[in-house]
């Protein structure tokens, strides 16, 4: 790991090397602080060495190479070329040093990872007297350095500010230094401690107290095109480190982020292997178009799909305009920066992580039995004036199962969800290097079998990273990732796809037999979904993701860097969709009856590549109290997409699934390609005074091929400022409580070019609008989509005010933000009257405002061996459409958009209850949908025109939650760790209809338990209307109403994890640094007021025709050598 | 210092020279033509015209729309025609196959503007313009019949206009349709050959004009239009084989939707004939003929079934009937693919009339032989829109309405009856306007059953209250002998649904709510 070789800590006559090394050392150790444990490193780290006749220096090198220890000594005072023998077997560094210094008077002192060698010849502390200053007049300064507990610290570097003159403290923390008479300030620095400056004017002896560097304060976080100290941040962002992501058996990056950051919402709609990525919304829905956040992996715009969660070092989400503006035109919906792990110099580290898990559906519809469904069906048709379909004897037969061929009670869900749901993950990485070159190699294998047979995903990932320093001023980094996804799902001969299964499985009646006693499949007019599944037919997609990045860092002069980057992204997929035909047989005569087909094969190869070039000039400079840095860059991106597809049908049978095996009759071929380009200039300046007043400005100038020449370029500026109140002199008295307190504010403008269409400004004429004359296909063309050449960028202006506080010595952290985000010129397919004739063009037509508050509160503590961390976050976001250019309301099915309401709110009729008396019925406005009777839902006549029609629809709530919250609780005791992660939403509505809510029907449509307590004259309930079959007045699909819009708040124990790390004294014997075993449960518990069989995370209004959400129970190990 | 300036300059040059490639952002679609690259030759115009033909009319419309009449019942409400049949549709949102649709009209408008600037043979240009004008006129005809007033547009319009345009009075739209059809008929040829078969002919323009005139009670005009094509087409020799794929483009077809099996291959299904088939054959059985339609067919001897001397046997209702009944409809005991169709016996059979209360009758027209098709969802079968038989009936009806009942009227009707295997009209019984009106209306219903015209007839004859109010009956319940096909009926009859017809509302269909929501100037039809 972070390792700095200090073969000669004090080369004669030069302190600058020391300082450089100390700087690096500090940096590395700071990075490591996150993972550093409180227990003594020197006791935990074991060595096995067998060295004969080697120099002391070589022993030291060996120690450093195999550990994180740094040895500090003064070559002049110690004979480092003395030959010694060392033999240790799983022993601590002390055993080695004892052997080395045996029979000498030299001693050593261990301070965490630093070992200071105290030569016996030294009368004073190690120091450096630089020869050229000998001619000047000197002052002798001496003193002691202690920590805040009063213990002396050896090895602290003491340097005269602005010079290379310096020394380090001795074993007792004492130092003595000769300084020029004009020297004013000494700088004291030590790993893990805050660097201190001390005014020595007029002093000769004094004591210095070093303070611990609180974890987090000096944390370096990712920002656009670089990094920044967290304390100096002025924009709104959140980050999670690998530690928080580690070892949670998540299948993808998005679900890892869920609930970990305020204002970052992850919506997951399906648990299907390979399709469970979820979507990420940063601070609400900013646009009506693609609201997905931009993803940057290792500096390259790409997707989260091609990153193995195990490879991730850090994820940072840039939430406000100030932090995201440097990404300009694609940053309006937030930016997710991901960095992957890289090699560190020093000892080779090997990690192996693995888990095995079983998935189960979180919720499945609780459909009623065939006998209940039959009696409900009778009731529904009788309500509509039809004779009952089933006799009491029929219903009895359904109930007792005496004639399963004719009166079955088929458990279709039970037959369908029979996949093993087994998943496993193996991840292996090895990293290491020296001070010139560091590298890391990782390999991953992930496999997930679905809870439906023949669904699944296999994923192989590999990642190689290397960093090499060429000469003193040039570093080159290589980064290569290759991922192979093998995705599979069944097809069917009816709808051809997999999603068609869910419609069938949720509608087919329990009164249809799966298989008859003679072994033949039962079927109805849509077939038999289990027969399809057993018959086979697969859609397989093999996707290759390749990503290569080469970047460099050239230090042209001090503080002045040139950083070019070249990236290539390739995404190639091969899809093969084979649909098998199926013949059903008459159950009695066994003659062929119903046929579903024909069999058919679609082969599709798709190719997508992105070539990125980027270069950055960066300059950092410090004068006295002024810190200044500037960055200017250029980037361009070229995207190309193409596909080629072939189709054949009428294969002789279902055994072959290659195109060449199919007949020519009925074949077709297709293919296309398109291109996109983006060009950008960007820049940033940072200035801070005394690290107290912070200022940052960002600008980006973007050009996109998606717009007409005149509207092509957009300029995106952002400014932010921060005030670290805690650094003010007047704040000193509060320092005991507030370690750090910062106010920050920002304003910025961002763009969005992600508008769905590649060439919205060009009026295009599509081909393939064909017709046939005389049985010959005539190729036709026609405009399909209207164009709008005036189209311009979407613009988001965002303002943020925030406060960051660090209290009680880092025990409590607090962050709060208030933001307002206005998006204008939203590109919208405003519904256009059908008289237009074509698909309406997008127009810059809407404005949306999101404003809200985000809070995060953390508490980190320990009590002896007991450690506990609690981090809770919440966000209150209000979403409102502010302008629709007079086109509102825009109504789409059961949602609408209207100024003053949230985007796509529920829209429908207001229920006034259920008709209970004839009087109510007679005096109510006329309703439609069927013959209205008692037990029907009463809709409110909003405009009092005596009829219920489209004009009576009103706002019924929003599926966008008022508040989202999450809490992470981590507890540790000795080797045990327990973490609980809760996540929830508040103030959200849900709407279910069709299959997921259930339907009364005979062979099609199945009632759920909600239907039980329905209205009858004997049971005049208000809970559920009377049953219907073909009438639509109570059907939520035809009459969306407040009766069906329900509270969908939920609280979910998203993850629970319990782990145990084996004691190192056992592990060292087998050369293992760390071994942890754990249990993890994902989606373990859910509390919701929504329908009890519907997963509340599944988006509102869904019909439930999707693969269900899953809960996963896993066990795993983390192993480090 | 000097040695540092050079690398800095290099970096700056490297940094910014990429932006110099000016056309980096100038990308054009690779797979789509742009307006500026089009209209260079007759070939471009031909392709654009083919685009206008796409979906100008489709099979589902023709199959399904009889469910909005007394001919049939649509058992699945979600398919959208049930509510058009039973009158329960009050809050409308695109019921059925939405015909309030301007895609074909605007494609034609686009084509007509573009072809003007195309350098090509002027005669060909004239003909092609006439084809597009026909397609546009057809859509306006259809919409004005279904919805009444319709916005009339003869050029592409902006989105703003599309959101504010108002409806033109029906009379104005009709005048446009008739004027257009008159004007273009001289530009169109009598017929086509080879891979042009199926294009709009002169006959199609005149026949559509005749239909439009009849539908709008312009009887004299209708007669003269019909006269222009009478004798120029001839009835195909077999009624039952008329709709089979091997007999496409026969002498009786004046206008049809041309289909080919390989068109639109990757779609799950085309809007194809599977909806007509019974479920044991893999179809949906979505269009269920009604008892009232079955009863309309005469006996083979030319007598109606309510005539005591007709020989009608209520216990064997499908026996000895007009052969067109057997060519159009199957019922209990009909032989289908070697088996006797039984919708009433075994509740566990797929053919059973429940649970949707199918009428117990199913369709045979278009799908008489399953072996004609490899895949019933990709049949490639052409859909006749105007047959010569309709022209004959249009002529007869117009003449009868004007009380000009001469021999030409009888011979027009007889031509149809004789082809179907029925005796000539009994001039003794059918000897006055009233009886002739009754005859021609029955003949029309029977001959054109399941061809999508019945609703228009109900609408113009104003018989909705009479025929579309009350229960919709299916066949009687009972059993079918699986060996002989002989049905044994009980007295109980299937009631598929109860219909309501409100004369002040239901003669016009509602404008889709989605358009009313957008366009404040668009009025809704009364009662919706």
């Amino acid at each position: 790991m972070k390792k700095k070789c200090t073969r000669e800590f004090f080369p004669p006559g030069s302190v600058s090397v020391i300082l450089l090394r100390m700087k690096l050392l500090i940096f590395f150790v700071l990075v490591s602080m996150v993972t550093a444990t409180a227990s003594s490193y020197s006791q935990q780290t074991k060595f096995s060495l067998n060295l004969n006749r080697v120099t002391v220096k070589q022993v030291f090198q060996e120690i450093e190479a195999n550990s994180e220890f740094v040895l500090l000594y003064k070559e002049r005072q110690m004979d480092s070329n003395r030959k010694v023998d060392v033999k240790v077997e799983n022993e601590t560094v002390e055993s080695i040093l004892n052997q080395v210094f045996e029979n000498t008077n030299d001693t050593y002192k261990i301070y965490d990872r630093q070992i200071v060698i105290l030569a016996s010849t030294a009368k004073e502390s190690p120091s450096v007297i630089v020869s050229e200053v000998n001619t000047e007049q000197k002052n002798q300064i001496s003193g002691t350095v202690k920590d805040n507990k009063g213990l002396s610290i050896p090895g602290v570097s003491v340097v005269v500010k602005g010079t290379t003159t310096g020394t380090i403290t001795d074993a007792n923390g004492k130092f003595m230094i000769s300084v020029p008479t004009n020297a004013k300030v000494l700088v004291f620095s030590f790993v893990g401690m805050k660097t201190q400056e001390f005014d020595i004017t007029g002093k000769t002896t004094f004591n210095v107290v070093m303070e611990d560097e609180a974890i987090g304060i000096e944390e370096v976080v990712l920002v656009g095109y670089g990094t920044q100290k967290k304390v100096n941040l002025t924009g709104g962002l959140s980050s999670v480190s690998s530690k928080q992501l580690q070892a949670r058996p998540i299948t993808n990056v998005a679900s890892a982020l869920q609930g970990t950051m305020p204002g970052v919402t992850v919506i997951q709609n399906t648990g299907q292997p390979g399709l469970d990525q979820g979507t990420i919304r940063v601070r609400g829905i900013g646009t009506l178009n693609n609201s997905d956040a931009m993803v940057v992996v290792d500096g390259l715009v790409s997707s989260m799909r091609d990153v193995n969660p195990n490879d991730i070092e850090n994820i940072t989400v840039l939430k406000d305009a100030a932090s995201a503006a440097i990404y300009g035109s694609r940053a309006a919906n937030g930016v997710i920066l991901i960095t992957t792990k890289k090699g560190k110099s020093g000892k080779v580290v090997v990690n192996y992580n693995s888990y095995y898990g079983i998935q189960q559906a979180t919720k499945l519809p609780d459909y009623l039995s065939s006998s209940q469904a039959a009696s409900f069906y009778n009731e529904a048709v009788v309500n509509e004036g039809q004779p009952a379909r089933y006799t009491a004897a029929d219903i009895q037969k359904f109930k007792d199962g005496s004639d399963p061929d004719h009166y079955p009670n088929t458990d279709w869900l039970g037959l369908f969800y029979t996949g093993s749901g087994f998943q496993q993950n193996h991840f292996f990485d090895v990293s290491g290097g020296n001070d010139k070159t560091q590298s890391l190699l990782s390999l991953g294998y992930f496999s997930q079998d679905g809870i439906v047979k023949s669904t699944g995903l296999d994923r192989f990932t590999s990642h190689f990273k290397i960093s090499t320093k060429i000469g003193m001023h040039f570093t080159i980094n290589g980064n290569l990732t290759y991922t192979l996804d093998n995705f599979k799902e069944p097809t069917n001969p009816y709808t051809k796809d997999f999603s068609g299964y869910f419609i069938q499985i949720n509608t087919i009646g329990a009164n249809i037999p799966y298989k008859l006693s003679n072994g033949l499949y039962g079927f109805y007019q849509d077939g038999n979904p289990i027969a399809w599944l057993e018959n086979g037919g697969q859609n397989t997609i093999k996707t290759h993701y390749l990503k290569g990045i080469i970047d460099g860092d050239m230090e042209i002069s001090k503080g002045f860097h040139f950083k070019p980057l070249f990236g290539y992204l390739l995404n190639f997929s091969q899809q093969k969709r084979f649909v098998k035909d199926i013949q059903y047989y008459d159950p009695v005569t066994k003659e062929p009856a119903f046929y579903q087909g024909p069999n058919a094969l679609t082969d599709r190869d798709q190719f997508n590549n992105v070539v990125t070039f980027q270069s950055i000039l960066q300059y950092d400079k410090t004068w006295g109290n002024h810190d200044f840095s500037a960055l200017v860059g250029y980037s361009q991106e070229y995207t190309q997409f193409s596909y080629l597809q072939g189709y054949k049908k009428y294969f002789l049978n279902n055994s072959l699934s290659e195109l060449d095996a199919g007949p020519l009759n009925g074949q077709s071929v297709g293919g296309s390609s398109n291109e996109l380009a983006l060009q950008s200039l960007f820049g940033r300046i940072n200035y801070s005074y005394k690290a107290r007043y912070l200022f940052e400005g960002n600008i980006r100038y973007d050009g996109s091929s998606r717009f007409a020449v005149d509207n092509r370029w957009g300029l995106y500026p952002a400014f932010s400022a921060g005030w670290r109140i805690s650094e003010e002199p007047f704040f000193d008295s509060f320092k005991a409580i507030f370690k750090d307190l910062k106010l920050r504010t920002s304003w910025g403008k961002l763009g969005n070019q992600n508008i769905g269409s590649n060439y919205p400004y060009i009026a295009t004429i599509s081909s393939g609008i064909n017709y046939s004359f005389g049985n010959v296909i005539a190729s036709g063309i026609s405009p399909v989509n209207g164009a709008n050449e005036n189209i311009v960028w979407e613009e988001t202006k965002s303002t943020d005010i925030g406060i960051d506080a660090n209290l009680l010595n880092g025990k409590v952290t607090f962050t709060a933000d208030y933001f307002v985000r206005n998006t204008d010129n939203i590109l919208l397919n405003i519904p256009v009257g059908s008289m237009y004739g074509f698909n309406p063009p997008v127009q810059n037509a809407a404005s949306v405002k999101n404003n809200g508050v985000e809070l995060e509160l953390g508490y980190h503590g320990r009590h002896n061996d007991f450690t506990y961390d609690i981090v809770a976050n919440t966000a209150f976001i209000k979403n409102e459409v502010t302008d629709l250019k007079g086109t509102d309301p825009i109504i789409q099915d059961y949602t609408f958009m209207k100024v003053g309401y949230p985007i796509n709110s529920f829209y429908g009729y207001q229920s006034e209850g259920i008709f209970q008396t004839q009087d109510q019925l007679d005096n109510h406005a006329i309703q439609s949908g069927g013959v209205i009777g008692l037990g029907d839902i009463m809709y409110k006549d909003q405009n009092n025109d005596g009829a219920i029609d489209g004009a009576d629809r009103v706002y019924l709530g929003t599926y966008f939650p008022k508040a989202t919250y999450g809490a992470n609780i981590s507890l540790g005791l000795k080797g045990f760790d327990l973490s609980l992660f809760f996540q929830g939403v508040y103030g959200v509505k849900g709407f279910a209809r069709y299959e997921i809510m259930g339907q009364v029907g005979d062979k099609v449509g199945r009632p759920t338990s909600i239907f039980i307590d329905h209205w009858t004259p004997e049971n005049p309930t208000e809970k559920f209307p009377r049953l219907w079959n073909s009438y639509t007045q109570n059907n939520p699909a035809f009459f969306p109403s407040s009766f069906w819009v329900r509270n969908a708040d939920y609280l979910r124990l998203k993850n629970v994890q319990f782990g145990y790390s084996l004691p190192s004294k056992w592990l060292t014997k087998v050369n293992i640094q760390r071994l942890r075993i754990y249990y993890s449960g994902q989606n373990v518990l859910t509390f919701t007021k929504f329908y009890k069989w519907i997963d509340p995370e599944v988006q509102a209004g869904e019909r439930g025709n999707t693969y269900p959400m899953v809960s996963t129970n896993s066990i795993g190990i983390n192993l480090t050598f | 210092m000097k040695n540092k300036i050079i690398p800095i300059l290099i970096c700056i040059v490297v940094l910014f020279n990429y932006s110099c490639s000016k056309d980096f952002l100038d990308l054009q679609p690779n797979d789509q033509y742009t307006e500026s690259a089009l209209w260079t030759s007759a070939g471009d115009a031909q392709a654009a015209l083919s685009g206008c033909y796409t979906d100008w009319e489709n099979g589902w419309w023709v199959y399904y729309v009889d469910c909005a009449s007394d001919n049939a019942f649509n058992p699945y409400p979600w398919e959208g025609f049930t509510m058009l049949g039973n009158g329960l549709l009050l809050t409308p949102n695109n019921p059925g196959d939405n015909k309030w649709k301007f895609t074909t009209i605007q494609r034609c408008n686009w084509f007509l503007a573009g072809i003007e600037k195309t350098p090509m043979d002027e005669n060909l240009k004239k003909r092609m313009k006439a084809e597009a004008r026909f397609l546009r006129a057809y859509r306006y005809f259809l919409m004005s019949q279904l919805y009444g007033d319709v916005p009339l547009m003869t050029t592409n319009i902006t989105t703003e206009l599309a959101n504010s345009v108002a409806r033109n009075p029906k009379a104005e739209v009709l005048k446009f349709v008739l004027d257009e059809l008159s004007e273009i008929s001289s530009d169109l040829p009598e017929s086509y050959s080879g891979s042009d078969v199926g294009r709009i002919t002169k006959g199609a323009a005149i026949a559509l004009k005749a239909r439009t005139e009849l539908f709008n009670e312009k009887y004299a005009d209708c007669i003269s239009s019909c006269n222009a094509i009478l004798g120029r087409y001839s009835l195909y020799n077999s009624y039952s084989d008329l709709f089979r794929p091997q007999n496409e483009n026969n002498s009786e077809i004046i206008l049809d939707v041309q289909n080919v099996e390989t068109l639109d291959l990757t779609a799950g299904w085309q809007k194809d004939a599977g909806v007509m088939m019974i479920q044991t054959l893999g179809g949906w059985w979505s269009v269920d003929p009604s008892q009232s339609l079955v009863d309309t067919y005469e006996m083979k001897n030319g007598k109606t079934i309510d005539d005591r001397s007709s020989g009608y046997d209520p216990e064997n209702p499908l026996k000895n009937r007009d052969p067109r009944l057997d060519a159009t409809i199957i019922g209990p005991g009909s032989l289908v693919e070697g088996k006797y169709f039984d919708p009433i016996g075994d509740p566990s059979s797929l053919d059973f009339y429940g649970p949707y209360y199918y009428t117990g009758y199913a369709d045979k027209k278009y799908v008489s032989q399953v072996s004609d098709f490899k895949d019933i969802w990709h049949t490639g079968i052409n859909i006749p829109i105007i047959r010569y038989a309709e022209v004959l009936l249009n002529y007869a009806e117009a003449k009868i309405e004007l009380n000009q009942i001469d021999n030409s009227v009888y011979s027009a009707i007889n031509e149809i009856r004789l082809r179907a295997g029925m005796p000539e009209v009994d001039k003794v019984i059918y000897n006055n306007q009233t009886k002739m009106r009754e005859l021609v209306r029955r003949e029309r219903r029977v001959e054109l059953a399941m061809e999508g015209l019945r609703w228009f007839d109900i609408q113009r004859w104003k018989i909705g209250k009479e025929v579309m109010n009350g229960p919709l009956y299916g066949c009687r319940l009972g059993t079918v002998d699986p060996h002989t096909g002989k049905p044994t009926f009980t007295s109980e009859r299937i009631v598929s649904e109860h219909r309501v017809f409100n004369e002040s509302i239901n003669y016009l269909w509602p404008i889709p709510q989605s358009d009313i929501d957008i366009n404040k100037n668009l009025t809704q039809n009364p009662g919706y």
Side-chain angles (χ1 to χ4, degrees), chain A residues 516 518 520-521 523 583-594, chain B residues 280 339 346 349-351:
Chain A
L516 300 164
N518 60 12
L520 291 173
Y521 284 119
F523 58 97
Q583 177 70 55
Y584 301 93
Y585 296 90
D586 187 296
V588 183
T589 63
K590 301 192 182 175
E591 295 279 308
F594 173 36
Chain B
T280 39
K339 274 191 283 187
D346 176 10
S349 154
L350 271 190
D351 290 337

Side-chain angles (χ1 to χ4, degrees), chain A residues 302-367:
Chain A
S302 56
S303 81
M304 288 192 284
R305 223 193 140 116
D306 51 350
V307 190
N308 186 327
N310 291 286
D311 274 323
I312 292 176
E313 175 77 36
N314 178 289
I315 304 178
T316 296
V317 180
L318 310 179
K319 296 192 285 192
D320 71 344
S323 58
I326 199 143
Y327 288 108
S329 67
R330 287 174 294 178
N333 297 306
V335 181
I336 298 170
L337 301 177
I338 296 176
T339 42
T340 57
K341 290 174 186 159
K342 60 183 177 194
K344 312 270 167 63
S345 59
K347 208 185 112 178
V348 172
V349 178
V350 178
N351 280 304
Y352 171 72
N353 294 327
S354 161
Y355 67 76
Y356 296 86
I358 295 285
Q359 314 152 69
Q360 280 173 305
T362 52
K363 308 248 180 186
L364 288 177
D366 55 351
Y367 294 125

Side-chain angles (χ1 to χ4, degrees), chain A residues 575-588:
Chain A
Q575 180 179 16
K576 192 179 277 291
R577 192 177 77 168
F578 191 58
V579 173
K580 293 186 176 180
D581 59 354
I582 187 166
Q583 177 70 55
Y584 301 93
Y585 296 90
D586 187 296
V588 183

Side-chain angles (χ1 to χ4, degrees), chain B residues 60-295:
Chain B
W60 273 12
W61 168 255
V62 175
Y63 302 142
Y64 271 109
V65 71
D66 268 15
C67 297
S69 78
D70 60 344
N71 272 0
F73 164 65
N74 174 209
Y76 313 119
W78 55 87
E79 291 178 354
F81 283 92
T82 317
M83 286 175 287
L84 289 170
N86 63 19
L88 291 177
L89 178 84
L90 276 180
T91 308
N93 233 336
N94 305 347
D97 179 35
N98 179 22
K99 285 289 163 185
W100 184 265
K101 205 176 168 192
F102 295 79
T103 305
T104 300
I105 287 168
Q106 292 299 9
R107 282 181 180 172
C108 292
N109 287 340
W110 165 76
F111 167 82
L112 289 168
I115 194 173
E116 285 299 346
K117 52 190 170 191
T118 307
M120 60 185 288
D121 178 77
E122 283 306 315
N123 282 329
L124 181 61
K125 187 186 270 189
K126 227 183 217 178
R127 187 203 90 197
M128 288 168 60
K129 279 166 66 180
E131 289 176 61
R133 286 167 74 184
F134 175 90
L135 298 173
R136 184 173 65 180
Y138 174 83
R139 299 298 296 207
Y140 275 121
F141 150 75
L142 201 62
M143 278 196 278
S144 65
Q145 292 302 312
L146 294 170
Y147 302 99
D149 303 347
V150 181
L152 183 61
M153 297 158 301
T154 53
T155 54
N156 285 160
I157 59 170
T158 61
T159 54
E160 289 79 15
L161 196 56
N163 290 349
S164 59
V165 68
R167 297 164 73 183
N168 295 69
K170 182 180 174 188
E172 207 177 302
V173 179
L174 275 176
K175 182 173 183 306
F176 171 77
V177 170
L178 294 172
D179 289 351
E180 284 285 284
L181 292 172
S182 303
E183 277 177 38
I184 62 174
S185 59
S186 56
D187 295 339
L188 288 164
E190 301 270 351
S191 66
Y192 294 90
S193 60
S195 61
D196 279 328
V197 169
R199 290 185 180 279
I200 306 302
T201 58
K202 175 183 276 188
I206 296 170
L208 180 62
K209 185 161 173 277
R211 183 195 277 186
T212 312
E213 286 157 348
L214 180 75
F215 282 13
N216 293 284
E217 294 164 12
K218 298 175 191 298
Y219 300 118
D221 294 348
C222 174
I223 292 165
S224 72
S225 295
C226 290
N227 276 326
I229 40 175
L230 284 176
R232 293 184 183 270
Y233 292 85
S234 63
L235 296 180
Y236 184 70
N237 55 28
S238 161
Y239 183 81
S240 58
D241 289 345
L242 177 56
F243 302 94
R244 295 181 61 189
Q246 54 269 52
N247 302 322
E248 283 176 357
N249 302 321
N250 63 55
S251 61
E252 187 176 342
I253 302 300
I254 298 176
L255 176 66
D256 61 3
V257 179
Q258 295 270 318
N259 275 328
V260 63
E261 187 202 339
T262 44
L263 206 62
D264 187 25
L265 280 168
T266 44
W269 52 69
Q270 288 181 329
K271 290 189 163 183
D272 220 324
V275 298
M276 306 293 275
M277 277 194 187
I278 53 172
Q279 292 170 7
T280 39
L281 300 178
W284 288 356
W285 198 3
S286 286
V287 181
D288 290 25
S290 65
Q291 185 66 45
S292 125
L293 175 62
V294 172
D295 289 346

